[in-house]
Amino acid sequence: MSKKKNDLSRAQRRENERTAAKRRRRPDRRLVSAMMLFFFSAFLLISLNGEIRLDGFVLAAVVPLMLYIAIMWMPRFFPADKLLLAIANFLCALGVLVLYVTDRGAGTSRGVQQAMYYGVGILAMLVCILLVRYVRRWDFLIALIMLGSAGLMVLPLAIGTEQNGATNWIVISGISLQPSEMVKIALLLILGWYMSQHRFWPWFLFAGFCLLALMLQKDLGTALIYYTTTLFLFWATTGNLPLTGLGVLGGCGAAVAGYQMFAHVKKRVAIWRNPWLYYETSGYQMVQALMAIASGGLFGVGLGLGSPRVIPVYFSDAIFAVICEQFGILFGVLVLVMYVILILRGASIANSARSSFHAILAMGATVMLGVQTFVIIGGVMKLIPLTGVTMPFVSYGGTSLVSCMGLIGLIQGVSSVNQDDLDYDYQISRSLQEMYGMPEAEEY
């Protein structure tokens, strides 16, 4: 009896020592504190430079507060991958900062609007986390999501407005919305559910319908993201290389057909091949973006300096060039590293999932973010033709930012379920250890 009591006492001491060590380390607190200080200082300095603006002081307090809420406060209610949250929220706050800086002297308020979109994005992320964690029966909900998403996809064909050659926007009460961005989350839920149930036709028909609607809207950038994500998930769930190869060939054929059918696609390919030939007309944006990256050098010209507004659509398509100009190429490389870490983290979470639905969901969200990042940054750096999609988390746009935060919510929801499973395993192992005197398991 005394020996058993001593063993339990030693186990309790080890548990107390582990808890104390975790409290001493807490690298997450130091990381978030550094991020909050960075953005507080940046907004404060910009607000005090030249004309003093009250909105800058408000953002200096609000943006760090939203960072703290999203990274440190929300995870108190469920297990969380704080590195994933930190990267996504840092990129969102960076977008708010860059947009606010470029607003000065331009008479625009995109930075303040982006901060409001960021707040909505945090709520969207929370909703997606709760959906993944607590919804157990998806059959009826998936059917409703499919029906609603189909309606959203055809709205631009009926009441859409054209921007940059694509009719993919709708305007409701003065607010511009891009339905295809909102349908991204629905697409992943539908693909994940039906693929995990080994039901081919429902997801195939829905994905085909979405691609057809995007082709009719001439939104080829979003169509590329949809198609690549769907094809990758098909290969990941079936391992069928012949059909996957056929899908790749089909995608190449669709790209050639799009080039032949749409004049704005031909123009973008021509600009990609030689933007200097069209410098004074359609190639002006590409040339100015490349010049902005080069003028920034390794360390940048400084926050609020440079000439970002000479780049057409600098706040959306070419915001990566603005970041490189003001912060430098080294900082731009660090931003790319953040995206790479985010993608690797998402893939690891998907690989650790015990449910096929959760694994497909997390992998789909990761692939979608990765493809979108490559498409826009590759286009700005002239690796591929510029397609006009937004840079995830950073570019100006409410629907884009909210949908990207929703994708992070899906990945984070799967991560929290994975952690619940590990905690359950640990509790079982502790119970067995106490019951049978087995070696104690290490807690994750």
Side-chain angles (χ1 to χ4, degrees):
M1 185 67 179
S2 177
K3 183 177 183 302
K4 185 176 181 180
K5 186 180 294 185
N6 289 335
D7 290 342
L8 289 175
S9 177
R10 284 197 296 271
Q12 186 63 41
R13 285 199 300 272
R14 285 195 296 269
E15 181 69 22
N16 293 337
E17 289 171 0
R18 279 197 295 267
T19 303
K22 287 180 181 179
R23 288 175 178 171
R24 285 194 301 270
R25 289 194 295 266
R26 296 307 298 268
D28 54 338
R29 286 187 176 274
R30 292 197 292 270
L31 175 63
V32 175
S33 298
M35 291 167 55
M36 293 173 66
L37 179 62
F38 172 78
F39 286 108
F40 173 78
S41 303
F43 281 111
L44 193 62
L45 289 173
I46 291 297
S47 301
L48 294 174
N49 183 22
E51 180 186 358
I52 296 178
R53 294 177 56 177
L54 179 61
D55 54 2
F57 292 101
V58 173
L59 290 177
V62 170
V63 172
L65 177 62
M66 288 194 291
L67 283 171
Y68 182 83
I69 290 173
I71 303 173
M72 300 300 296
W73 184 74
M74 280 183 11
R76 294 180 181 179
F77 302 98
F78 45 78
D81 188 319
K82 290 187 177 179
L83 179 60
L84 183 72
L85 292 177
I87 292 174
N89 285 275
F90 177 87
L91 293 171
C92 290
L94 178 64
V96 175
L97 175 62
V98 173
L99 290 169
Y100 178 73
V101 167
T102 54
D103 280 337
R104 293 181 63 87
T108 56
S109 57
R110 295 190 182 95
V112 176
Q113 293 177 38
Q114 190 77 349
M116 292 188 290
Y117 298 148
Y118 177 28
V120 177
I122 292 175
L123 293 177
M125 179 179 69
L126 178 61
V127 169
C128 289
I129 292 173
L130 297 178
L131 276 176
V132 176
R133 278 185 60 82
Y134 297 113
V135 175
R136 293 293 178 263
R137 300 187 61 85
W138 286 90
D139 302 76
F140 181 69
L141 186 57
I142 288 293
L144 287 179
I145 291 173
M146 185 180 293
L147 184 62
S149 300
L152 283 174
M153 289 300 294
V154 299
L155 270 182
L157 299 175
I159 58 172
T161 58
E162 182 176 332
Q163 293 187 21
N164 300 320
T167 311
N168 55 348
W169 292 85
I170 60 174
V171 180
I172 301 176
S173 300
I175 301 175
S176 297
L177 300 173
Q178 192 173 355
S180 59
E181 288 288 341
M182 296 183 282
V183 176
K184 282 180 179 178
I185 296 173
L187 175 69
L188 293 179
L189 290 171
I190 292 165
L191 292 176
W193 179 251
Y194 286 118
M195 284 184 176
S196 65
Q197 301 292 317
H198 305 289
R199 297 171 61 183
F200 175 79
W201 288 110
W203 71 258
F204 180 79
L205 293 175
F206 179 77
F209 174 81
C210 291
L211 291 171
L212 177 61
L214 291 171
M215 291 294 288
L216 293 175
Q217 297 169 24
K218 303 179 184 178
D219 188 1
L220 302 186
T222 306
L224 173 63
I225 296 171
Y226 274 45
Y227 187 79
T228 305
T229 303
T230 302
L231 188 62
F232 184 90
L233 291 181
F234 172 75
W235 172 75
T237 53
T238 65
N240 193 320
L241 285 177
L243 283 181
T244 304
L246 188 63
V248 173
L249 292 176
C252 294
V256 173
Y259 176 81
Q260 297 294 334
M261 292 170 58
F262 305 126
H264 72 285
V265 177
K266 290 184 178 180
K267 184 184 296 185
R268 287 180 176 179
V269 173
I271 294 168
W272 168 62
R273 294 179 63 185
N274 188 0
W276 297 96
L277 187 62
Y278 308 93
Y279 170 70
E280 295 183 353
T281 55
S282 54
Y284 183 77
Q285 177 177 350
M286 174 65 73
V287 172
Q288 289 298 330
L290 293 173
M291 291 175 64
I293 295 173
S295 66
L298 288 178
F299 303 105
V301 298
L303 186 63
L305 303 178
S307 304
R309 289 191 295 274
V310 302
I311 309 173
V313 204
Y314 64 89
F315 50 86
S316 179
D317 295 4
I319 197 168
F320 182 71
V322 178
I323 291 173
C324 290
E325 181 184 32
Q326 299 204 359
F327 291 95
I329 294 176
L330 286 179
F331 188 87
V333 171
L334 290 177
V335 170
L336 294 180
V337 170
M338 289 183 191
Y339 281 109
V340 171
I341 295 174
L342 186 148
I343 292 166
L344 293 176
R345 200 72 169 183
S348 174
I349 290 170
N351 189 55
S352 301
R354 300 184 184 181
S355 160
S356 58
F357 171 63
H358 288 156
I360 297 169
L361 199 59
M363 184 57 72
T366 302
V367 171
M368 189 170 281
L369 289 171
V371 172
Q372 183 170 338
T373 302
F374 171 75
V375 167
I376 183 58
I377 295 181
V380 171
M381 298 179 68
K382 201 178 171 295
L383 297 176
I384 59 175
L386 189 63
T387 58
V389 299
T390 56
M391 183 174 171
F393 311 107
V394 181
S395 290
Y396 174 71
T399 48
S400 172
L401 177 58
V402 171
S403 70
C404 288
M405 290 296 280
L407 294 177
I408 291 295
L410 296 181
I411 301 173
Q412 183 59 66
V414 175
S415 174
S416 64
V417 172
N418 293 349
Q419 188 61 49
D420 285 340
D421 293 337
L422 290 175
D423 291 342
Y424 176 76
D425 291 346
Y426 176 72
Q427 294 300 327
I428 293 296
S429 66
R430 284 292 301 272
S431 299
L432 291 174
Q433 187 268 335
E434 293 174 0
M435 186 178 300
Y436 300 107
M438 297 172 64
E440 184 178 358
E442 290 293 331
E443 183 178 7
Y444 286 90

